[in-house]
Amino acid sequence: MCLAVPMKIREIRGDGTAVAELDGIPSDVNLSLVPDARVGTYVVVHAGFAIERMNEHEADAILQVFKEIADWQKHAVESAPGVVP
Amino acid sequence: MKYIDGFRDPVAAAGVRAKLDALAAVLETRARAVNIMEVCGSHTMAIARYGIRDILPKSVNLISGPGCPVCVTPASYIDAAIALAERGAIVVSFGDMIAVPGNSTTLAECRARGGTVEVGYSPMRAVELAEAHPDREVVFLAIGFETTTAPVVMMLELAIRRGIKNLSLLTAFKLVPPALAALLSDPGIRIDAFLCPAHVSVIIGADAYKPFVNQWKVPCVVAGFEPLDILYGILGILKQVSHGEATVENQYSRVVTAKGNGIAQSLMAKYLEPVDAAWRGIGVIPLSGLGLRPEFGAYDAGLRHGVSMGAGDENPACACGEVLKGKQRPPACALFGAACTPDHPVGPCMVSSEGTCAAYFKYLR
Amino acid sequence: MLSRALIQQEIVPRFGAGALKGLPDGATLPIPAGRAMVFTTDSFVVQPLEFPGGNIGDLAVHGTVNDLAACGARPRWLSLALILEEGLPLTTLRRVLDSVKKAADDCGMAVVTGDTKVVARGQCDGMYVNTAGIGELIDGFELGAGRVAAGDHILVSGPLGDHGMAVMAVREGIRITHGVTSDTGPVHRLVEAVRGLAAGVKFMRDPTRGGLAAVLNEVVEGRGRGILVRETELPFSVGAQATAEMLGLDLLQVASEGRLVMICSASVSGEVLNAWRALPEGAGAVRIGEVTDSKGRVILETITGGRRLVDVPRGELLPRIC
């Protein structure tokens, strides 16, 4: 019960709404719950409302963790005897 | 898709799987499996969508708790919504509710018979309709956990600011922490850890789970809904279990903060107060819901239109309560596969397309 | 708007040559001796009438062309029946009819007979269209789910779900501007291109209502065979994926209106893909999985490696928050 997607703010209107986009697909978003969002900010959007900003620093950090796990996995597969990578 | 695709990388998933298997092998010396409960419909959906149970070690038991607010909405709420549509109100609902049966029929069938039932992706649809049809009453079906409650209440505030008088909410908001407490207090179930909901936690903050850790010593890991989030969350739980630890671990720190969204919390406190709430298939959990404060009674559809929703209409043979708590498997329920199927579900476990009973039914087909 | 005036002003100028000249009650058609003919019909009630990438007109032509193509037939003749709501703007009707003409011409299909009716305001949502099509069965094709065997390959001609997402984005009023474009288009040239491999082609279908999930389940239902598809191989456009994420929808259940799903023997699948990729409408063709022994089930191997069932779609596709 919390389907929400990360979207990037493209344009802010004066009335509390904004245009945000996911992979270039723009959609209207209400910013009333995250009033300090700016153009370029990533926000998480649920039911047409931004509910929080995305902390890109934290996002990049966890993505880095997963990248390292992926590298570890690739290495493990490649060095396993008799396994075709 | 930025900040989505990176959390769906198959090679990283294989890596986390390998680490899970290795850790599970260590834990195999335990007498029994580790029971992890997730309490969010979106986690249930994602776990099903990505076949996560298929790849988990045997010593990890993932239980789907009462995490879908649509599914735990009592049948009588749906009956009340249908009654309002039949009386000529414009009923606005999220898509999830449209096909859920009340005690006799669904909102979809009501619409087919001429009732005005509108599906809204956003609660603002109710405002649009109220402004476009000033001569009609608009009722928004205000269900959801904290994630949805905040946008709905914001919609109400915006409607009030615009001077809209023909809009009201039929409320059935539910709270996650009281449900967790009720589950943990049940001596018949053993929950070893919680996989905590991602976006509920955005609103309430990761610190909201500290009482559970302190009182019941269960690890609480807040995880996102992407497959890597879920797998890594389970790994985090197993690590805590293997060290005999119990802490709140916020693995969704890219969005969840310790304190949550203060604006959302203030807004909810302004308009809403805790009330007892009926959970379909479980019964009443004290102070597990939110209702409109008396001063906003004009916007409460139940008061405004004189509809009430009794709580005591559960089918006594429905074993959802036991299934949701992980005490029973679906086939043990007398109604399973007979009176209760995906096409005519009785309780929430079958109502949700990814509920425990619906999932069992699909795989045994 | 009287039907007669309508026909004179709008139908005759566009379709009044050939078999429709003089507007006979029925079309007399030269059926080639000894040929098997394929006959199909479909009705179109799409809302909205116009959407990014097309309208009910070209949808109605492509839908019937594609049903004929999926049966292994070369499309020849089309009937066009229109039910119009009183008050439908003439400009809308003209755009739809222009699209019908263009689509039929592009497919080499002649509109040979038809009908128009006008109904009262409040009926038929603007416009309903029915098309029926006759095509010539191409030699060598013997198609049916019964021919499908374990080991056969499953191919799709391009990205899935664009049409359904384009229509839903407009309909749900979520104001997704410049979003997904419908994939409505004909697939008969894809079938023509694999004539020489017909012996190895077992089954074809265009994945419309219910999407790929409906087609694959139909193939395995009640048979001693199953299907395995791999999520990493499924083709989706960036726009359709993003829109589906926002609305909480499963693209496997979303309609395409210009794609073909084929089940063929492993020995010909490479050549089929080469033939398809040489055509613009097949540029995104890929193999997505194979037929297995797991009775009556369609299984998806997800990106985690974990497997799950691909269910028969139930009911309306609705945006969700849960």
Side-chain angles (χ1 to χ4, degrees), chain A residues 1-2 42 46 51 55-56 58, chain B residues 42 69 148 199 253-254 261:
Chain A
M1 160 77 178
C2 323
Y42 277 87
H46 171 73
I51 57 171
N55 183 325
E56 287 190 70
E58 292 286 334
Chain B
S42 301
T148 312
H199 297 124
S253 54
R254 60 192 189 266
N261 183 323

Side-chain angles (χ1 to χ4, degrees), chain B residues 290-331:
Chain B
L290 290 170
L292 282 162
R293 291 187 181 279
E295 59 265 39
F296 299 107
Y299 302 99
D300 181 324
L303 289 175
R304 187 183 175 91
H305 300 292
V307 288
S308 65
M309 295 158 281
D313 57 357
E314 305 301 328
N315 184 325
C318 169
C320 273
E322 304 301 283
V323 172
L324 285 168
K325 295 173 191 176
K327 282 180 173 176
Q328 220 176 299
R329 295 285 205 205

Side-chain angles (χ1 to χ4, degrees), chain C residues 247-281:
Chain C
L247 298 177
L249 296 172
D250 179 1
L251 281 174
L252 288 174
Q253 302 192 358
V254 178
S256 299
E257 293 284 346
R259 302 280 178 247
L260 199 58
V261 177
M262 175 192 285
I263 302 183
C264 64
S265 60
S267 56
V268 304
S269 76
E271 288 176 78
V272 171
L273 287 174
N274 287 340
W276 280 3
R277 286 171 184 160
L279 292 165
E281 60 262 46

Side-chain angles (χ1 to χ4, degrees), chain C residues 48-211:
Chain C
L49 296 177
E50 297 177 282
F51 41 83
N55 58 46
I56 192 172
D58 45 22
L59 197 67
V61 173
H62 296 144
T64 290
V65 164
N66 295 347
D67 280 346
L68 289 173
C71 293
R74 184 174 297 124
R76 295 289 307 275
W77 302 297
L78 195 71
S79 78
L80 177 70
L82 305 171
I83 300 176
L84 308 172
E85 181 184 357
E86 194 181 322
L88 176 75
L90 205 49
T91 45
T92 307
L93 177 63
R94 284 180 180 149
R95 281 194 296 272
V96 170
L97 290 177
D98 284 342
S99 293
V100 169
K101 178 161 172 59
K102 181 168 188 304
D105 287 347
D106 283 348
C107 296
M109 213 165 175
V111 176
V112 297
T113 190
D115 182 64
T116 62
K117 291 282 183 301
V118 179
V119 294
R121 229 171 262 267
Q123 297 186 345
C124 91
D125 281 335
M127 178 190 294
Y128 290 158
V129 178
N130 171 279
T131 49
I134 298 178
E136 236 176 276
L137 189 61
I138 297 172
D139 275 335
F141 279 115
E142 233 188 88
L143 302 163
R147 284 195 62 208
V148 166
D152 284 346
H153 287 181
I154 302 166
L155 313 178
V156 299
S157 64
L160 300 166
D162 282 39
H163 174 77
M165 294 318 311
V167 167
M168 181 160 302
V170 179
R171 208 170 56 207
E172 293 307 328
I174 50 180
R175 281 183 290 275
I176 286 183
T177 53
H178 322 298
V180 200
T181 302
S182 169
D183 50 30
T184 178
V187 300
H188 63 295
R189 282 182 280 266
L190 293 172
V191 173
E192 199 72 50
V194 299
R195 267 173 53 201
L197 306 165
V201 178
K202 314 265 190 101
F203 175 90
M204 293 191 288
R205 188 63 53 89
D206 57 333
T208 56
R209 187 178 165 78

Side-chain angles (χ1 to χ4, degrees), chain C residues 1-21:
Chain C
M1 195 199 321
L2 289 171
S3 282
R4 259 188 50 193
L6 188 71
I7 289 167
Q8 286 305 323
Q9 284 158 25
E10 306 300 338
I11 303 293
V12 170
R14 290 177 178 88
F15 305 110
L20 268 172
K21 197 175 165 102

